[in-house]
Amino acid sequence: MIVQPKRNRIQFSLHAVCFVIVALLLTACGSDERSPEVTGLEPVAPAPFVEVAQTRGLIFTQHSGHQDQYFSPEIIAGGVALLDMDNDGDLDVYLIQSGRIGEPEWEPAGNQLFRNRGDGSFENVTDNSGAEDRGYGMGVATGDYDNDGDVDLYVTNVGRNTLLRNEGNGRFVDVTDEAGVGGDLWSSSAAFLDYDADGDLDLFVCNYIHWSVAGERQCRDAAGAPDYCGPLEYLAPTKDTLYRNNADGSFTDVTNELGISMAVGNGLGVAVGDYNNDGRLDIFVANDAVEDVLWIKGADGRFVNQALTMGCARDEAGQAKGSMGIGSADLDDDGDLDLLIVNLRGETDSLFRNEGSYFADITGAAGLGRLSRGFTRFGVGFFDYDNDGKLDIYQANGRVLRADPAYSENPYAEPNVLMRGVGSGKFAEILPRGGIVPMLAHNSRGAAFGDLDNDGGIDIVVVNRDGPAYYLSNQAPDRGHWIMFRVMDEHGRDALGAVVTGVVNGRTMRRDVQTAYSYCSANDPRVHFGLGDAHIIQNITVHWVDRSTSSFGDFDAGHIVTLRRSEGAAQ
């Protein structure tokens, strides 16, 4: 248990707010014509995040490999994982590198592994770690698939994917062939999950399109210049892949057996949770330019796509959007998981409120419609940056086609966006844009969320195409109280898919143990509760994936607590 200082919230004076509005309009947001029209702006001073990658040792630049030709994978690659690789209680960082397509003789740098020194600063420990997979990297999933207490890595590539088994103390071994999970498609996001509740982690892999260098198309932008192609130019959707863990180090492809092959798409994002509250884990897939998919697991063990019947395959206007990243959380404290799907520039986000048996599109009512149209959004997450007990949203943005207005010399660059939950299911954009001064604009892709310095504030790592990674340190002033739980099952691994509930000032809050959300990234498995002015959270209960529950009682704020299944009182 790590005890951290408690903070009380205060309100800024009116004159400070007025000063911030003027200053930010001049320095952070740029001129009016460069920013999409938005409503509900909330100025915050000082800015809640500070970019510290260079000073904290998290030095990484993603390389798409783009030269003269426009190979489609170049424009959407880039993932990151936050994991405790050495079980020392803090989060390490694994960053996915890409390379150069069509030039097999060119040796890519490989993925990079950074060890947390214990204070939120990092050192690069890639050499001799075995973690430097050299495929054309897209994304990464984390989970202890062999139940040995060490977090393993699954890397998605254009072509063969890679399973890296953690041998302990940050040493990894490529066990892809013996595990049988390599594949040969263009994969994107992936998720470890125990879909059959048998005590070991299975694996779901999103696949984008059937693609090859030889089959690449030639596309052009609005001005007639060469540019990247969208997925509909290829007419080559593919099915995703589900692997069952055989509990002996190998996996079996059960895609056809369990119904996952019954729908094809252009899969980019994945999130796992019990979306109909029947006690079984389901899988939501964000598809680019075609209908999204919600795989509901039935009592017979098979999955059925119920996105259309439950109202989340398309938006309320019937449009299938260019879906990339996914946020998944209980926004309204009604005990079920809501969904946020982020999409292409010119399209709104899709915020779906879970009504139990169906989803309602509340994007406009929540204040996300007009703002989101101005950006192409990839990485996304719900998190409580100021610990006030209301979930906020961060979106990592970057174009896939050149367009005006331009935010920098990079024609694909866009600023990222931070939105604060203001109650009643509504959000308002935080100024300065992206929650940081000066405003940053890159071609952002994966974003991962977690507390890198164990101070109770959620930090963000963002991968930028052909640019330096961001390490956004949460330095929001006067954050509320907080508590975090690491939930461990009987094998001593993170209990992915478990649900934690607790009561704060009479309000029941739900947080899910999930690493697979956002885009091509893996997040902190610990669940974080912002408590506002409350000093205690009561009646902490864990709902395990096998439908059993354990009660752990009440906890004081300001701690990081490990909840072990063997220590909870069964209910």
Side-chain angles (χ1 to χ4, degrees):
M1 181 179 292
I2 303 173
V3 180
Q4 302 292 346
K6 303 174 182 177
R7 297 177 171 88
N8 294 319
R9 298 186 56 79
I10 62 173
Q11 299 294 323
F12 289 102
S13 63
L14 180 60
H15 72 272
V17 171
C18 293
F19 170 80
V20 170
I21 293 173
V22 173
L24 295 176
L25 289 174
L26 293 174
T27 64
C29 295
S31 60
D32 289 343
E33 64 269 21
R34 290 179 52 163
S35 299
E37 185 181 359
V38 294
T39 58
L41 300 176
E42 283 208 346
V44 171
F49 288 93
V50 176
E51 206 292 296
V52 296
Q54 292 286 321
T55 59
R56 300 283 183 89
L58 196 65
I59 301 172
F60 174 84
T61 297
Q62 191 269 357
H63 298 290
S64 72
H66 174 68
Q67 292 183 300
D68 299 321
Q69 292 181 273
Y70 287 79
F71 292 121
S72 191
E74 296 171 348
I75 195 61
I76 62 173
V80 53
L82 306 183
L83 71 156
D84 186 358
M85 67 174 180
D86 46 11
N87 289 318
D88 63 353
D90 50 43
L91 292 174
D92 310 295
V93 179
Y94 185 67
L95 287 150
I96 302 300
Q97 189 57 273
S98 295
R100 189 171 294 169
I101 291 175
E103 296 186 27
E105 71 281 0
W106 189 79
E107 182 71 10
N111 303 334
Q112 301 292 294
L113 182 66
F114 292 83
R115 183 181 67 84
N116 194 324
R117 295 190 178 100
D119 59 359
S121 68
F122 293 87
E123 63 174 322
N124 191 323
V125 294
T126 307
D127 291 347
N128 301 314
S129 70
E132 59 274 67
D133 181 58
R134 297 181 185 274
Y136 193 92
M138 289 292 299
V140 58
T142 56
D144 179 10
Y145 81 94
D146 54 359
N147 286 341
D148 66 351
D150 299 313
V151 182
D152 309 300
L153 294 163
Y154 185 76
V155 179
T156 58
N157 295 311
V158 179
R160 177 188 184 269
N161 300 326
T162 303
L163 178 61
L164 297 172
R165 184 178 66 210
N166 190 337
E167 299 288 276
N169 200 29
R171 304 292 179 180
F172 293 85
V173 176
D174 184 342
V175 295
T176 309
D177 292 340
E178 64 188 76
V181 293
D184 59 359
L185 298 171
W186 173 2
S187 300
S188 52
S189 296
F192 283 104
L193 72 158
D194 186 4
Y195 76 82
D196 49 7
D198 65 350
D200 51 38
L201 293 177
D202 312 296
L203 178 63
F204 185 90
V205 183
C206 292
N207 299 311
Y208 189 49
I209 59 175
H210 289 286
W211 182 90
S212 67
V213 171
E216 182 57 280
R217 302 294 183 91
Q218 300 297 316
C219 296
R220 297 184 179 276
D221 64 14
D227 209 343
Y228 291 101
C229 297
L232 297 184
E233 297 292 336
Y234 302 92
L235 296 177
T238 185
K239 62 186 178 182
D240 299 321
T241 308
L242 178 62
Y243 296 102
R244 181 179 61 225
N245 193 327
N246 298 324
D248 60 1
S250 69
F251 291 77
T252 298
D253 186 336
V254 293
T255 305
N256 296 330
E257 175 186 341
L258 297 187
I260 299 298
S261 60
M262 297 302 292
V264 296
N266 310 313
L268 285 181
V270 64
V272 176
D274 182 4
Y275 291 103
N276 61 349
N277 276 346
D278 66 352
R280 292 181 286 265
L281 290 178
D282 311 306
I283 305 166
F284 188 92
V285 178
N287 281 318
D288 189 1
V290 296
E291 287 186 352
D292 295 331
V293 171
L294 176 56
W295 293 113
I296 295 293
K297 186 171 184 286
D300 62 355
R302 292 175 56 83
F303 289 87
V304 176
N305 178 19
Q306 295 189 16
L308 192 60
T309 57
M310 292 185 69
C312 56
R314 298 168 175 261
D315 69 6
E316 63 182 353
Q319 180 183 0
K321 296 177 177 176
S323 302
M324 270 79 78
I326 304 175
S328 177
D330 181 8
L331 294 180
D332 49 5
D333 296 328
D334 65 350
D336 50 32
L337 285 173
D338 309 299
L339 285 164
L340 173 63
I341 319 303
V342 295
N343 304 304
L344 191 67
R345 186 173 186 263
E347 301 172 343
T348 66
D349 290 334
S350 295
L351 180 60
F352 293 110
R353 185 177 62 210
N354 193 332
E355 302 289 358
S357 59
Y358 69 95
F359 288 87
D361 187 337
I362 60 167
T363 308
L368 300 182
R370 186 176 295 180
L371 170 64
S372 60
R373 285 185 185 276
F375 304 103
T376 293
R377 292 85 66 198
F378 279 83
V380 62
F382 290 115
F383 72 123
D384 187 354
Y385 86 87
D386 53 0
N387 295 345
D388 67 349
K390 296 186 287 289
L391 290 174
D392 312 303
I393 300 171
Y394 182 86
Q395 295 182 346
N397 304 323
R399 296 170 183 168
V400 293
L401 298 171
R402 289 185 295 263
D404 290 327
Y407 289 92
S408 76
E409 294 181 357
N410 179 350
Y412 301 100
E414 290 179 336
N416 299 336
V417 171
L418 175 65
M419 288 168 279
R420 182 180 179 186
V422 295
S424 301
K426 297 182 183 299
F427 296 88
E429 184 188 6
I430 290 293
L431 292 181
R433 176 150 283 165
I436 190 167
V437 172
M439 184 184 78
L440 300 174
H442 284 87
N443 200 207
S444 296
R445 292 298 177 250
F449 300 80
D451 187 356
L452 294 174
D453 51 8
N454 285 340
D455 69 346
I458 300 300
D459 311 298
I460 310 170
V461 178
V462 179
V463 175
N464 295 304
R465 172 183 178 263
D466 290 327
Y470 300 159
Y471 172 179
L472 302 181
S473 175
N474 188 335
Q475 299 182 22
D478 311 301
R479 294 193 302 250
H481 300 300
W482 59 275
I483 193 165
M484 278 199 302
F485 298 101
R486 186 173 187 186
V487 184
M488 311 292 282
D489 73 357
E490 64 272 22
H491 302 289
R493 66 164 172 81
D494 294 298
L496 302 184
V499 176
V500 182
T501 58
V503 179
V504 179
N505 289 335
R507 167 190 170 201
T508 299
M509 302 171 68
R510 167 182 176 162
R511 299 290 183 264
D512 285 46
V513 182
Q514 56 177 340
T515 60
Y517 60 89
S518 188
Y519 174 77
C520 283
S521 298
N523 302 273
D524 190 345
R526 299 173 297 184
V527 296
H528 172 268
F529 290 86
L531 305 180
D533 58 3
H535 292 268
I536 190 171
I537 187 168
Q538 299 173 301
N539 193 26
I540 287 294
T541 303
V542 177
H543 307 259
W544 308 97
V545 296
D546 64 0
R547 305 192 191 188
S548 64
T549 59
S550 300
S551 177
F552 291 88
D554 305 340
F555 293 90
D556 291 331
H559 297 78
I560 299 174
V561 181
T562 299
L563 303 177
R564 301 184 186 277
R565 183 165 186 169
S566 59
E567 298 172 359
Q571 291 186 328

